[in-house]
Amino acid sequence: MPIPDDIKESVEKQIKLMISQTEAYIPLLKIAFPYSNNLADACYNLIVGSAVSIFVNQYAMRLKYPTAEDFTEFGKIIVKYRDSIDQFFK
């Protein structure tokens, strides 16, 4: 079963919001991850963590659990934004 459109929309809005704020996160990332060889990965991981929280909470509000298929589809959603995040660090 595909992810319901309203959940997908909520997740994508959160991802887009965080990407739009990425420039503000760069100083934090440099302090929080001083030994990181790839700050784009650190930023991507922060955004994924936030998005997965929204994803799971949206299901919880419906008293449902996401399935393995739902998590696979979530992965397909978030990976579309990887290049946008990488661009901040080039």
Coordinates of all heavy atoms in Angstrom, one line a residue:
M1 N 0.9 -1.2 0.0 CA 0.0 0.0 0.0 C 0.9 1.2 0.0 O 1.8 1.3 0.8 CB -0.9 0.0 1.2 CG -1.7 1.3 1.4 SD -2.9 1.3 2.7 CE -2.1 0.6 4.1
P2 N 0.7 2.2 -0.9 CA 1.5 3.4 -0.9 C 1.2 4.3 0.3 O 0.2 4.2 0.9 CB 1.1 4.0 -2.3 CG -0.3 3.5 -2.6 CD -0.4 2.2 -2.0
I3 N 2.2 5.1 0.5 CA 2.0 6.1 1.6 C 0.9 7.0 1.3 O 0.8 7.5 0.1 CB 3.3 6.9 1.8 CG1 4.5 6.1 2.2 CG2 3.1 8.1 2.8 CD1 5.8 6.8 2.2
P4 N 0.0 7.3 2.2 CA -1.1 8.2 1.9 C -0.6 9.6 1.5 O 0.4 10.0 2.0 CB -1.9 8.3 3.3 CG -1.6 7.0 4.0 CD -0.2 6.7 3.5
D5 N -1.3 10.2 0.6 CA -0.9 11.5 0.0 C -0.6 12.5 1.1 O 0.3 13.3 1.0 CB -1.8 12.0 -1.0 CG -1.8 11.2 -2.3 OD1 -0.8 10.5 -2.6 OD2 -2.8 11.2 -3.0
D6 N -1.5 12.6 2.1 CA -1.3 13.7 3.1 C -0.1 13.4 4.0 O 0.6 14.4 4.4 CB -2.5 13.8 4.0 CG -2.9 12.5 4.7 OD1 -2.7 11.4 4.2 OD2 -3.5 12.6 5.8
I7 N 0.3 12.2 4.2 CA 1.5 11.9 4.9 C 2.7 12.2 4.1 O 3.7 12.9 4.5 CB 1.6 10.4 5.4 CG1 0.5 10.2 6.5 CG2 3.0 10.1 5.9 CD1 0.4 8.7 7.0
K8 N 2.7 11.8 2.8 CA 3.8 12.1 1.9 C 3.9 13.6 1.8 O 5.1 14.2 1.8 CB 3.4 11.5 0.5 CG 4.5 11.7 -0.5 CD 4.2 10.9 -1.8 CE 5.3 11.1 -2.8 NZ 4.9 10.4 -4.0
E9 N 2.9 14.4 1.7 CA 2.9 15.8 1.6 C 3.6 16.5 2.8 O 4.4 17.4 2.8 CB 1.5 16.4 1.4 CG 1.5 17.9 1.2 CD 0.1 18.4 1.0 OE1 -0.7 17.8 0.2 OE2 -0.3 19.5 1.5
S10 N 3.2 16.0 4.0 CA 3.8 16.5 5.3 C 5.3 16.2 5.3 O 6.0 17.1 5.7 CB 3.1 15.8 6.5 OG 1.8 16.2 6.6
V11 N 5.7 15.1 4.9 CA 7.1 14.7 4.9 C 7.9 15.6 3.9 O 8.9 16.2 4.3 CB 7.3 13.2 4.6 CG1 8.8 12.9 4.3 CG2 6.8 12.3 5.7
E12 N 7.3 15.7 2.7 CA 8.0 16.6 1.7 C 8.1 18.0 2.1 O 9.1 18.7 1.9 CB 7.4 16.4 0.4 CG 7.7 15.0 -0.2 CD 7.4 14.8 -1.7 OE1 6.5 15.6 -2.2 OE2 8.0 14.0 -2.3
K13 N 7.0 18.5 2.8 CA 7.1 19.9 3.3 C 8.2 20.1 4.3 O 8.9 21.1 4.3 CB 5.7 20.3 3.9 CG 4.7 20.7 2.9 CD 3.4 21.1 3.5 CE 2.3 21.5 2.5 NZ 1.1 21.9 3.1
Q14 N 8.3 19.1 5.2 CA 9.4 19.2 6.2 C 10.7 19.2 5.6 O 11.6 20.0 5.9 CB 9.2 18.1 7.2 CG 10.3 18.0 8.3 CD 10.2 19.2 9.3 OE1 9.2 19.9 9.3 NE2 11.2 19.5 10.0
I15 N 10.9 18.3 4.6 CA 12.2 18.2 3.9 C 12.5 19.5 3.2 O 13.6 20.0 3.4 CB 12.2 17.0 2.9 CG1 12.1 15.7 3.6 CG2 13.5 17.1 2.0 CD1 11.7 14.5 2.7
K16 N 11.6 20.1 2.5 CA 11.8 21.3 1.8 C 12.1 22.5 2.7 O 12.9 23.3 2.4 CB 10.6 21.6 0.9 CG 10.5 20.7 -0.3 CD 9.2 20.9 -1.1 CE 9.1 19.9 -2.2 NZ 7.8 20.0 -2.9
L17 N 11.4 22.5 3.8 CA 11.6 23.5 4.8 C 13.1 23.5 5.3 O 13.8 24.4 5.4 CB 10.6 23.4 6.0 CG 10.9 24.3 7.2 CD1 10.7 25.8 6.8 CD2 10.0 24.0 8.4
M18 N 13.5 22.3 5.7 CA 14.8 22.1 6.2 C 15.9 22.4 5.2 O 16.9 23.0 5.5 CB 15.0 20.7 6.8 CG 14.1 20.6 8.1 SD 14.6 19.1 9.1 CE 16.1 19.6 9.7
I19 N 15.7 22.0 4.0 CA 16.6 22.3 2.9 C 16.7 23.9 2.7 O 17.8 24.4 2.6 CB 16.2 21.6 1.6 CG1 16.5 20.1 1.7 CG2 17.0 22.2 0.4 CD1 16.0 19.3 0.5
S20 N 15.6 24.5 2.8 CA 15.6 26.0 2.6 C 16.3 26.7 3.8 O 16.8 27.8 3.6 CB 14.2 26.5 2.5 OG 13.5 26.5 3.8
Q21 N 16.5 26.0 4.9 CA 17.2 26.5 6.1 C 18.6 26.0 6.2 O 19.3 26.3 7.2 CB 16.4 26.2 7.4 CG 15.0 26.9 7.4 CD 14.2 26.4 8.6 OE1 14.5 25.4 9.2 NE2 13.1 27.2 8.9
T22 N 19.0 25.2 5.3 CA 20.3 24.5 5.4 C 21.5 25.5 5.6 O 22.4 25.3 6.3 CB 20.6 23.6 4.2 OG1 19.6 22.6 4.2 CG2 22.0 23.0 4.2
E23 N 21.4 26.6 4.9 CA 22.5 27.6 5.0 C 22.7 28.0 6.4 O 23.8 28.2 6.9 CB 22.2 28.8 4.1 CG 23.4 29.7 3.9 CD 23.2 30.8 2.9 OE1 22.1 30.8 2.3 OE2 24.1 31.5 2.6
A24 N 21.6 28.1 7.2 CA 21.7 28.5 8.6 C 22.3 27.4 9.4 O 22.9 27.6 10.5 CB 20.3 28.9 9.2
Y25 N 22.2 26.1 9.0 CA 22.7 25.0 9.7 C 24.2 24.8 9.6 O 24.8 24.1 10.3 CB 22.0 23.7 9.3 CG 20.6 23.6 9.5 CD1 19.8 23.0 8.6 CD2 20.0 24.1 10.7 CE1 18.4 22.9 8.7 CE2 18.6 23.9 10.9 CZ 17.8 23.3 9.9 OH 16.5 23.2 10.1
I26 N 24.8 25.3 8.5 CA 26.2 25.0 8.2 C 27.1 25.4 9.3 O 28.0 24.5 9.7 CB 26.6 25.7 6.9 CG1 25.8 25.0 5.7 CG2 28.1 25.6 6.6 CD1 26.0 25.7 4.4
P27 N 27.0 26.5 10.0 CA 27.9 26.8 11.2 C 27.7 25.7 12.3 O 28.7 25.3 12.9 CB 27.5 28.2 11.6 CG 26.9 28.8 10.4 CD 26.2 27.7 9.7
L28 N 26.5 25.4 12.5 CA 26.2 24.3 13.6 C 26.9 23.0 13.2 O 27.5 22.4 14.0 CB 24.7 24.1 13.7 CG 24.3 22.9 14.5 CD1 24.7 23.0 16.0 CD2 22.8 22.6 14.4
L29 N 26.8 22.6 11.9 CA 27.3 21.4 11.5 C 28.8 21.4 11.6 O 29.4 20.3 12.0 CB 26.9 21.1 10.0 CG 25.5 20.8 9.8 CD1 25.2 20.7 8.3 CD2 25.1 19.5 10.4
K30 N 29.5 22.5 11.3 CA 30.9 22.6 11.5 C 31.4 22.4 12.9 O 32.4 21.9 13.2 CB 31.4 23.9 10.9 CG 31.3 23.9 9.4 CD 31.8 25.2 8.8 CE 31.7 25.1 7.3 NZ 32.1 26.4 6.6
I31 N 30.6 22.9 13.8 CA 30.9 22.8 15.3 C 30.5 21.4 15.8 O 31.3 20.7 16.5 CB 30.2 23.8 16.1 CG1 30.7 25.2 15.7 CG2 30.3 23.6 17.6 CD1 29.9 26.4 16.3
A32 N 29.3 20.9 15.4 CA 28.8 19.6 15.9 C 29.6 18.4 15.4 O 29.7 17.4 16.0 CB 27.3 19.5 15.6
F33 N 30.1 18.6 14.2 CA 30.8 17.4 13.5 C 32.2 17.9 13.0 O 32.4 17.8 11.8 CB 29.9 16.9 12.3 CG 28.6 16.5 12.7 CD1 27.5 17.3 12.5 CD2 28.3 15.3 13.3 CE1 26.2 16.9 12.8 CE2 27.1 14.9 13.7 CZ 26.0 15.7 13.4
P34 N 33.0 18.2 13.9 CA 34.3 18.8 13.5 C 35.2 17.7 12.8 O 36.1 18.1 12.1 CB 35.0 19.2 14.8 CG 34.4 18.3 15.9 CD 32.9 18.1 15.4
Y35 N 35.0 16.5 13.0 CA 35.8 15.4 12.4 C 35.2 14.8 11.2 O 35.7 13.9 10.6 CB 36.2 14.3 13.4 CG 36.8 14.9 14.6 CD1 36.2 15.0 15.9 CD2 38.1 15.5 14.6 CE1 36.8 15.5 17.0 CE2 38.7 16.0 15.7 CZ 38.1 16.1 16.9 OH 38.7 16.6 18.0
S36 N 34.0 15.4 10.8 CA 33.3 14.8 9.6 C 34.1 15.2 8.4 O 34.4 16.4 8.1 CB 31.9 15.4 9.6 OG 31.3 14.9 8.4
N37 N 34.3 14.2 7.5 CA 34.9 14.5 6.2 C 33.9 15.0 5.2 O 34.2 15.4 4.1 CB 35.6 13.2 5.7 CG 36.8 12.9 6.5 OD1 37.4 13.7 7.1 ND2 37.0 11.6 6.7
N38 N 32.6 14.8 5.5 CA 31.6 15.2 4.5 C 30.4 15.8 5.3 O 29.5 15.1 5.8 CB 31.1 13.9 3.8 CG 30.2 14.3 2.6 OD1 29.6 15.3 2.6 ND2 30.2 13.4 1.7
L39 N 30.4 17.1 5.3 CA 29.3 17.8 6.0 C 28.0 17.7 5.3 O 26.9 17.8 5.9 CB 29.6 19.3 6.2 CG 30.7 19.6 7.2 CD1 31.0 21.1 7.3 CD2 30.3 19.1 8.6
A40 N 28.0 17.4 4.0 CA 26.7 17.2 3.3 C 26.0 16.0 3.9 O 24.8 15.9 4.0 CB 27.0 17.1 1.8
D41 N 26.8 14.9 4.2 CA 26.3 13.7 4.8 C 25.6 14.0 6.2 O 24.6 13.6 6.5 CB 27.3 12.6 5.0 CG 27.6 11.9 3.7 OD1 26.8 12.0 2.7 OD2 28.6 11.2 3.7
A42 N 26.3 14.8 6.9 CA 25.8 15.2 8.3 C 24.5 16.0 8.1 O 23.5 15.7 8.8 CB 26.8 16.1 9.0
C43 N 24.4 16.9 7.2 CA 23.2 17.7 7.0 C 22.1 16.8 6.5 O 21.0 16.8 7.0 CB 23.5 18.8 6.0 SG 22.1 19.9 5.8
Y44 N 22.4 15.9 5.5 CA 21.4 15.0 5.0 C 20.9 14.1 6.1 O 19.7 13.9 6.2 CB 22.1 14.1 3.9 CG 21.2 13.1 3.3 CD1 20.2 13.5 2.4 CD2 21.3 11.8 3.6 CE1 19.4 12.6 1.8 CE2 20.5 10.8 3.0 CZ 19.5 11.2 2.1 OH 18.7 10.3 1.6
N45 N 21.8 13.6 7.0 CA 21.3 12.8 8.1 C 20.4 13.5 9.1 O 19.4 13.0 9.6 CB 22.5 12.2 8.8 CG 23.2 11.2 8.0 OD1 22.7 10.5 7.1 ND2 24.5 11.0 8.2
L46 N 20.7 14.8 9.3 CA 19.8 15.6 10.2 C 18.5 15.7 9.6 O 17.4 15.6 10.3 CB 20.4 17.0 10.5 CG 21.6 17.0 11.4 CD1 22.2 18.4 11.4 CD2 21.2 16.6 12.8
I47 N 18.4 16.0 8.3 CA 17.2 16.2 7.6 C 16.4 14.9 7.5 O 15.2 14.9 7.8 CB 17.4 16.8 6.2 CG1 17.9 18.2 6.3 CG2 16.1 16.7 5.3 CD1 18.3 18.9 5.1
V48 N 17.1 13.8 7.3 CA 16.4 12.5 7.3 C 15.8 12.2 8.6 O 14.7 11.7 8.8 CB 17.4 11.3 6.8 CG1 16.8 10.0 7.1 CG2 17.7 11.5 5.3
G49 N 16.6 12.4 9.7 CA 16.1 12.2 11.0 C 14.8 13.0 11.4 O 13.9 12.5 11.9
S50 N 14.8 14.2 11.0 CA 13.6 15.0 11.2 C 12.5 14.5 10.4 O 11.3 14.4 10.8 CB 14.0 16.5 10.8 OG 12.8 17.3 10.9
A51 N 12.7 14.2 9.1 CA 11.7 13.8 8.2 C 11.1 12.4 8.7 O 9.9 12.2 8.6 CB 12.2 13.7 6.8
V52 N 11.9 11.5 9.1 CA 11.4 10.2 9.6 C 10.6 10.4 10.8 O 9.6 9.7 11.0 CB 12.5 9.2 9.8 CG1 13.3 9.3 11.0 CG2 12.0 7.8 9.6
S53 N 10.9 11.3 11.7 CA 10.1 11.6 12.8 C 8.7 12.1 12.4 O 7.7 11.6 13.0 CB 10.8 12.7 13.7 OG 10.0 13.0 14.8
I54 N 8.6 13.0 11.5 CA 7.3 13.5 10.9 C 6.6 12.3 10.3 O 5.4 12.1 10.6 CB 7.5 14.6 9.9 CG1 8.2 15.8 10.5 CG2 6.2 14.9 9.2 CD1 7.4 16.5 11.5
F55 N 7.3 11.5 9.6 CA 6.7 10.3 8.9 C 6.0 9.4 9.9 O 4.8 9.0 9.8 CB 7.8 9.6 8.1 CG 7.4 8.3 7.4 CD1 6.6 8.3 6.3 CD2 7.9 7.1 7.9 CE1 6.2 7.2 5.7 CE2 7.6 5.9 7.3 CZ 6.7 6.0 6.1
V56 N 6.8 9.0 10.9 CA 6.2 8.1 11.9 C 5.1 8.7 12.8 O 4.1 8.1 13.0 CB 7.4 7.6 12.9 CG1 6.8 6.8 14.0 CG2 8.4 6.7 12.1
N57 N 5.3 10.0 13.1 CA 4.2 10.7 13.9 C 2.9 10.8 13.1 O 1.9 10.7 13.7 CB 4.7 12.1 14.3 CG 5.7 12.0 15.5 OD1 5.7 11.1 16.2 ND2 6.6 13.0 15.5
Q58 N 3.0 11.0 11.8 CA 1.8 11.1 11.0 C 1.0 9.8 11.0 O -0.2 9.8 11.1 CB 2.1 11.5 9.5 CG 2.6 12.9 9.4 CD 1.5 13.9 9.6 OE1 0.3 13.7 9.2 NE2 1.8 14.9 10.3
Y59 N 1.8 8.7 11.0 CA 1.1 7.4 11.1 C 0.5 7.2 12.6 O -0.6 6.7 12.7 CB 2.1 6.2 10.8 CG 2.2 5.9 9.4 CD1 3.1 6.5 8.6 CD2 1.3 5.0 8.8 CE1 3.2 6.2 7.2 CE2 1.3 4.7 7.4 CZ 2.3 5.3 6.7 OH 2.4 5.0 5.3
A60 N 1.3 7.6 13.6 CA 0.8 7.4 14.9 C -0.4 8.2 15.2 O -1.3 7.7 15.9 CB 1.9 7.9 15.9
M61 N -0.6 9.4 14.6 CA -1.8 10.2 14.8 C -3.0 9.4 14.2 O -4.1 9.7 14.6 CB -1.7 11.5 14.1 CG -0.7 12.4 14.9 SD -0.6 14.2 14.4 CE -0.8 14.2 12.6
R62 N -2.8 8.5 13.3 CA -3.9 7.7 12.7 C -4.0 6.3 13.4 O -4.7 5.5 12.9 CB -3.6 7.5 11.2 CG -3.7 8.8 10.4 CD -3.1 8.7 9.1 NE -3.2 9.9 8.3 CZ -2.5 11.0 8.5 NH1 -1.6 11.0 9.4 NH2 -2.6 12.0 7.7
L63 N -3.2 6.2 14.5 CA -3.2 4.9 15.2 C -2.8 3.7 14.3 O -3.4 2.7 14.3 CB -4.5 4.6 15.9 CG -4.9 5.7 16.9 CD1 -6.3 5.4 17.5 CD2 -3.9 5.8 18.0
K64 N -1.8 4.0 13.4 CA -1.3 3.0 12.5 C 0.2 2.9 12.6 O 0.8 3.8 13.2 CB -1.7 3.3 11.0 CG -3.1 3.3 10.8 CD -3.4 3.6 9.3 CE -4.9 3.6 9.0 NZ -5.1 3.9 7.6
Y65 N 0.8 1.8 12.0 CA 2.2 1.7 12.0 C 2.6 1.6 10.5 O 1.9 1.0 9.7 CB 2.6 0.3 12.6 CG 2.3 0.2 14.0 CD1 1.2 -0.5 14.5 CD2 3.2 0.8 15.0 CE1 0.9 -0.6 15.8 CE2 2.9 0.7 16.3 CZ 1.8 0.0 16.8 OH 1.5 -0.1 18.1
P66 N 3.7 2.3 10.2 CA 4.2 2.2 8.8 C 4.8 0.8 8.6 O 5.4 0.2 9.5 CB 5.3 3.3 8.7 CG 5.7 3.6 10.1 CD 4.5 3.2 11.0
T67 N 4.6 0.3 7.4 CA 5.0 -1.0 7.0 C 6.5 -0.9 6.4 O 7.0 0.2 6.2 CB 4.1 -1.7 5.9 OG1 4.2 -0.9 4.7 CG2 2.7 -1.7 6.4
A68 N 7.1 -2.1 6.2 CA 8.4 -2.1 5.6 C 8.3 -1.4 4.2 O 9.2 -0.7 3.8 CB 8.9 -3.5 5.4
E69 N 7.2 -1.6 3.5 CA 7.0 -1.0 2.2 C 6.9 0.5 2.3 O 7.5 1.2 1.5 CB 5.7 -1.5 1.5 CG 5.8 -2.8 0.8 CD 4.4 -3.1 0.1 OE1 3.6 -2.3 0.0 OE2 4.3 -4.3 -0.2
D70 N 6.3 1.0 3.3 CA 6.2 2.4 3.6 C 7.5 3.0 3.8 O 7.8 4.1 3.3 CB 5.3 2.7 4.8 CG 3.8 2.3 4.6 OD1 3.4 2.3 3.4 OD2 3.1 2.0 5.6
F71 N 8.4 2.3 4.6 CA 9.7 2.9 4.8 C 10.6 2.8 3.6 O 11.4 3.7 3.3 CB 10.4 2.1 6.0 CG 10.0 2.5 7.3 CD1 9.2 1.7 8.1 CD2 10.5 3.7 7.9 CE1 8.8 2.2 9.4 CE2 10.1 4.1 9.1 CZ 9.3 3.4 9.9
T72 N 10.4 1.9 2.7 CA 11.1 1.8 1.4 C 10.6 3.0 0.6 O 11.5 3.7 0.0 CB 10.7 0.5 0.7 OG1 11.2 -0.6 1.5 CG2 11.4 0.5 -0.7
E73 N 9.3 3.3 0.6 CA 8.8 4.5 -0.2 C 9.4 5.8 0.4 O 9.7 6.7 -0.3 CB 7.3 4.5 -0.2 CG 6.8 5.4 -1.2 CD 5.3 5.3 -1.5 OE1 4.7 4.2 -1.2 OE2 4.7 6.3 -1.9
F74 N 9.4 5.8 1.8 CA 10.0 7.0 2.4 C 11.4 7.2 2.0 O 11.8 8.4 1.7 CB 10.0 6.8 4.0 CG 10.8 7.9 4.7 CD1 10.2 9.1 4.9 CD2 12.1 7.6 5.1 CE1 11.0 10.1 5.6 CE2 12.8 8.6 5.8 CZ 12.2 9.8 6.0
G75 N 12.2 6.2 1.9 CA 13.6 6.3 1.4 C 13.6 6.8 0.0 O 14.5 7.6 -0.4
K76 N 12.7 6.4 -0.9 CA 12.6 7.0 -2.2 C 12.3 8.4 -2.3 O 12.8 9.2 -3.1 CB 11.6 6.2 -3.1 CG 12.1 4.7 -3.3 CD 11.0 4.0 -4.1 CE 11.4 2.5 -4.2 NZ 10.4 1.7 -4.9
I77 N 11.5 8.9 -1.3 CA 11.1 10.3 -1.2 C 12.3 11.1 -0.8 O 12.7 12.1 -1.5 CB 10.0 10.5 -0.2 CG1 8.7 9.9 -0.7 CG2 9.8 12.0 0.1 CD1 7.6 9.8 0.4
I78 N 13.0 10.7 0.2 CA 14.1 11.5 0.8 C 15.3 11.5 -0.2 O 16.0 12.6 -0.3 CB 14.5 11.0 2.2 CG1 15.4 12.0 2.9 CG2 15.1 9.7 2.2 CD1 14.8 13.3 3.3
V79 N 15.6 10.5 -0.8 CA 16.8 10.4 -1.7 C 16.7 11.4 -2.9 O 17.7 11.9 -3.4 CB 17.1 9.0 -2.2 CG1 16.2 8.6 -3.3 CG2 18.5 8.8 -2.5
K80 N 15.4 11.8 -3.2 CA 15.2 12.8 -4.3 C 15.9 14.1 -4.0 O 16.2 14.9 -4.9 CB 13.8 13.0 -4.6 CG 13.0 11.8 -5.1 CD 11.6 12.2 -5.5 CE 10.8 12.8 -4.4 NZ 9.4 13.0 -4.7
Y81 N 16.0 14.4 -2.7 CA 16.5 15.7 -2.2 C 18.0 15.7 -1.9 O 18.5 16.7 -1.5 CB 15.7 16.1 -1.0 CG 14.2 16.3 -1.3 CD1 13.3 15.3 -1.1 CD2 13.8 17.5 -1.9 CE1 12.0 15.5 -1.4 CE2 12.5 17.7 -2.2 CZ 11.6 16.7 -2.0 OH 10.2 16.9 -2.3
R82 N 18.7 14.6 -2.1 CA 20.1 14.5 -1.7 C 20.9 15.5 -2.5 O 21.8 16.2 -1.9 CB 20.6 13.0 -2.0 CG 22.0 12.8 -1.7 CD 22.2 13.1 -0.3 NE 23.6 13.3 0.0 CZ 24.3 12.7 0.9 NH1 23.8 11.8 1.7 NH2 25.6 13.0 1.1
D83 N 20.7 15.6 -3.8 CA 21.5 16.5 -4.6 C 21.3 18.0 -4.2 O 22.3 18.8 -4.2 CB 21.2 16.4 -6.1 CG 21.7 15.1 -6.7 OD1 22.7 14.5 -6.1 OD2 21.2 14.7 -7.7
S84 N 20.1 18.3 -3.8 CA 19.9 19.7 -3.3 C 20.7 20.0 -2.0 O 21.2 21.1 -1.9 CB 18.4 19.9 -2.9 OG 17.6 19.7 -4.0
I85 N 20.9 19.1 -1.2 CA 21.7 19.3 0.0 C 23.2 19.3 -0.3 O 23.9 20.2 0.2 CB 21.4 18.1 1.0 CG1 19.9 18.2 1.5 CG2 22.3 18.2 2.2 CD1 19.4 17.0 2.2
D86 N 23.6 18.4 -1.2 CA 25.0 18.4 -1.6 C 25.5 19.8 -2.2 O 26.6 20.2 -2.0 CB 25.3 17.3 -2.6 CG 25.3 16.0 -2.0 OD1 25.5 15.8 -0.8 OD2 25.2 15.0 -2.8
Q87 N 24.6 20.5 -2.9 CA 24.9 21.7 -3.5 C 25.4 22.8 -2.5 O 26.1 23.7 -2.9 CB 23.7 22.2 -4.3 CG 23.4 21.4 -5.5 CD 24.5 21.2 -6.5 OE1 25.2 22.1 -6.8 NE2 24.8 19.9 -6.8
F88 N 24.9 22.7 -1.3 CA 25.3 23.7 -0.3 C 26.8 23.6 0.1 O 27.4 24.5 0.7 CB 24.5 23.6 1.0 CG 23.1 24.2 0.8 CD1 22.0 23.4 0.6 CD2 22.9 25.6 0.9 CE1 20.7 23.9 0.4 CE2 21.6 26.1 0.8 CZ 20.5 25.3 0.5
F89 N 27.4 22.4 -0.2 CA 28.7 22.1 0.3 C 29.7 22.0 -0.8 O 30.8 21.5 -0.6 CB 28.7 20.9 1.2 CG 27.8 21.0 2.4 CD1 26.5 20.6 2.3 CD2 28.3 21.6 3.5 CE1 25.6 20.7 3.4 CE2 27.4 21.7 4.6 CZ 26.1 21.3 4.5
K90 N 29.4 22.5 -2.0 CA 30.3 22.4 -3.1 C 31.0 23.7 -3.3 O 30.6 24.8 -3.0 CB 29.6 22.0 -4.4 CG 29.2 20.5 -4.2 CD 28.7 20.0 -5.5 CE 28.4 18.5 -5.2 NZ 28.4 17.6 -6.3

